[in-house]
């Protein structure tokens, strides 16, 4: 997984001009099944018992109708959102990730058997597509996409691919390719691919004259990506329906950071002096639903009801915080602090965080529950390659 040292450069380039004008799993997948309140989700045994009330007592109706005289006042509700500092060594162990992930050189999780990525090249991104797997690997000064069948055989190589996104059910995948000089310098233009059958050639569209292409999501039958028309100018959202001969530029959505399944997008609006602001916008109108200068909008849960957010300033090895916001109004639901290289929704209620304590330290994929903030280890702490897939 490449370090995130280049993120600020891209953001500054995108906002320098714009400042005057920013996959997931199916919801039915089960979440964590172990641990304690305020430390990790409820255990399977506890989850089968009657739901506790705010005081922690069972809500079952007692046999008698007599009302006991309260001896102590009821506990007060929390005065504000809960914030949690994650200590990896103290977290309990829960179930393995239900999304695709990479451990070592083996693609695990999701639907299908484990698949090993052949070769020795660095692996940048992975995803499932049917019974096959997709892997972006280093190739010379650039990258290529490997399509790998369930026996571990490479069935297709696609040069220049840098990113993959999948639909929520992993039934379809989109990926984007760019061209580079032999020195690794980017050339203008991009090719966007989309497909459902790994045994068939994907559909594609060539988009000339764009720079800094960033693939965002594949939702509602459309592929969304952000790009700029000049190498250092502001960017905007693009929309492509696979099969169409052209893409649509949505200029009303500048500097797009993420697109949801319910027609909203995070848009970076300002960046200066270790701070940024972003808006939640309606797609395609660009109507502002709410702003935030406390966090940067980076993603959404599959149902679009929760916004995933990072720190308002992003630079360096990893993010110091990850947050969940209410998509209705931007209210903070929970914030976690630590060192996070990725934050991906596992389903509508749970986030997966690729966490460690710094470069060259053991890492784990951590599962956190949005409603409670409780977390657990979804993979053991390891120093080997670890990556959450699309």
């Amino acid at each position: 997984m490449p370090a995130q040292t280049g993120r600020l450069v891209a953001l500054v380039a995108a906002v320098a001009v714009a400042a005057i004008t920013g996959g997931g799993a199916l919801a039915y997948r089960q979440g964590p099944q172990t641990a304690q309140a305020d430390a990790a989700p409820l255990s399977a045994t506890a989850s089968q018992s009657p739901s506790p009330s705010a005081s922690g007592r069972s809500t079952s109706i007692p046999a008698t109708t007599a009302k006991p005289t309260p001896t102590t006042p009821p506990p007060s509700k929390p005065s504000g959102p809960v914030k949690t500092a994650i200590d990896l060594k103290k977290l309990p162990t829960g179930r393995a990730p239900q999304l695709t992930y990479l451990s070592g050189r083996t693609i695990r999780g999701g639907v299908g058997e484990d698949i090993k990525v052949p070769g020795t090249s660095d692996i940048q991104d992975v995803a499932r597509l049917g019974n096959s797997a997709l892997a972006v690997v280093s190739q010379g000064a650039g990258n290529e996409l490997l399509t790998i069948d369930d026996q571990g055989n490479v069935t297709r190589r696609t040069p220049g691919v840098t990113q993959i996104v999948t639909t929520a059910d992993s039934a379809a995948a989109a990926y984007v390719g760019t061209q580079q000089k032999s020195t690794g310098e980017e050339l203008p233009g991009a090719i966007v691919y989309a497909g459902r059958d790994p045994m068939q050639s994907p559909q594609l569209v060539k988009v000339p004259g764009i720079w800094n292409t960033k693939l965002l999501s594949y939702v509602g039958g459309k592929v969304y990506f952000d790009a700029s028309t000049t190498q250092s100018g502001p960017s905007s959202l693009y929309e492509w329906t696979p099969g169409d001969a052209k893409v649509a530029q949505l200029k009303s959505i500048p500097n797009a950071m993420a697109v949801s399944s319910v027609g909203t997008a995070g848009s970076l609006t300002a960046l200066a002096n270790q701070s940024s602001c972003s808006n939640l916008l309606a797609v395609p109108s660009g109507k502002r639903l709410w702003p935030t200068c406390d966090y940067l909008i980076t993603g959404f849960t599959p149902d679009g009801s929760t916004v995933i957010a990072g720190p308002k300033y992003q630079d360096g090895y990893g993010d110091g915080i990850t947050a969940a916001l209410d998509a209705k109004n931007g209210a903070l639901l929970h914030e976690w602090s630590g060192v996070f290289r990725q934050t991906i929704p596992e389903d509508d209620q749970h986030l997966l965080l690729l966490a460690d304590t710094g470069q060259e330290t053991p890492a784990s994929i951590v599962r956190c529950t949005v409603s409670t903030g409780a977390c657990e280890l979804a993979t053991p702490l390891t120093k080997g390659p670890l990556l959450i897939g699309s």
Side-chain angles (χ1 to χ4, degrees):
M1 178 69 183
Q4 301 184 28
T5 53
R7 291 181 298 169
L8 179 60
V9 175
L11 292 178
V12 170
V15 176
V17 177
I20 60 173
T21 53
L26 289 176
Y28 64 72
R29 286 179 177 152
Q30 298 179 11
Q33 295 182 337
T34 61
Q36 305 167 353
D38 298 328
L42 295 173
S43 67
T45 302
S47 65
Q48 296 171 0
S49 60
S51 299
S53 65
S55 63
R57 294 186 295 270
S58 170
T59 57
S60 300
I61 299 174
T64 176
T65 57
K67 296 181 179 180
T69 301
T71 57
T72 58
S76 59
K77 295 182 179 180
S79 58
V82 176
K83 298 184 179 183
T84 302
I86 292 180
D87 186 337
L88 295 175
K89 294 182 179 179
K90 294 182 179 180
L91 293 181
T93 300
R95 65 186 301 173
Q98 301 302 288
L99 294 185
T100 302
Y101 68 102
L102 179 76
S103 178
R105 296 194 67 84
T106 302
I107 298 174
R108 306 180 186 277
V111 178
E113 300 296 326
D114 293 351
I115 296 178
K116 185 175 181 180
V117 179
T120 59
S121 299
D122 290 341
I123 304 170
Q124 311 293 336
D125 200 0
V126 296
R128 296 273 194 183
L129 183 59
N131 291 326
S132 297
L134 304 174
V136 175
V137 300
S138 300
Q139 175 63 26
N143 298 313
E144 68 174 351
L145 177 76
L146 305 180
T147 302
I148 310 167
D149 67 17
D150 56 1
Q151 301 301 311
N153 301 309
V154 176
T155 60
R156 181 179 290 108
R157 296 176 182 267
T158 309
V161 171
T162 55
Q163 305 158 65
I164 315 169
V165 295
T166 62
T167 54
D169 57 3
S170 295
Y175 38 98
V176 63
T178 57
Q179 291 186 328
Q180 295 178 324
K181 296 180 180 179
S182 58
T183 57
E185 183 181 354
E186 182 184 1
L187 294 171
I191 304 175
V192 184
Y193 304 83
R196 291 183 172 273
D197 186 346
M199 304 306 296
Q200 301 291 329
S201 296
Q203 296 173 307
L204 62 87
V205 62
K206 295 182 179 180
V207 191
I210 61 172
W211 299 83
N212 309 310
T213 306
K214 180 175 62 177
L215 195 58
L216 300 178
S217 64
Y218 192 168
V219 294
K222 299 179 184 295
V223 178
Y224 292 94
F225 61 95
D226 183 81
S228 54
T229 55
T230 60
Q231 192 167 11
S232 58
S235 64
S236 60
L237 185 65
Y238 287 78
E239 177 187 270
W240 176 52
T241 301
D244 287 357
K246 294 183 179 181
V247 302
Q249 183 182 13
L250 306 180
K251 294 182 179 180
S252 59
I253 314 293
N255 306 308
M257 304 296 292
V259 178
S260 77
S261 63
V262 295
T264 55
S267 170
L268 178 67
T269 55
L271 177 69
N273 297 327
Q274 299 190 353
S275 183
S276 64
C277 295
S278 54
N279 288 330
L280 186 70
L281 305 180
V283 178
S285 69
K287 177 183 178 181
R288 187 172 76 167
L289 303 179
W290 48 261
T292 175
C293 291
D294 297 321
Y295 300 97
L296 187 65
I297 297 172
T298 59
F300 300 89
T301 52
D303 65 358
S305 66
T306 302
V307 170
I308 301 168
K312 58 186 178 181
Y313 180 78
Q314 292 185 319
D315 190 25
Y317 174 74
D319 291 341
I321 60 171
T322 286
L325 311 179
D326 190 332
K328 293 180 180 178
N329 52 22
L332 178 61
L333 301 176
H334 208 91
E335 178 187 294
W336 300 268
S337 58
V339 179
F340 310 124
R341 286 182 280 152
Q342 283 181 284
T343 301
I344 306 292
E346 186 179 36
D347 55 35
D348 295 334
Q349 299 296 325
H350 305 95
L351 306 183
L352 295 178
L353 287 63
L354 177 56
D356 55 34
T357 55
Q359 296 188 40
E360 306 301 326
T361 62
S364 173
I365 296 175
V366 175
R367 175 183 294 107
C368 294
T369 302
V370 171
S371 59
T372 65
C375 300
E376 64 186 19
L377 299 180
T379 65
L381 281 165
T382 178
K383 280 194 173 183
L386 193 61
L387 178 69
I388 308 172
S390 299

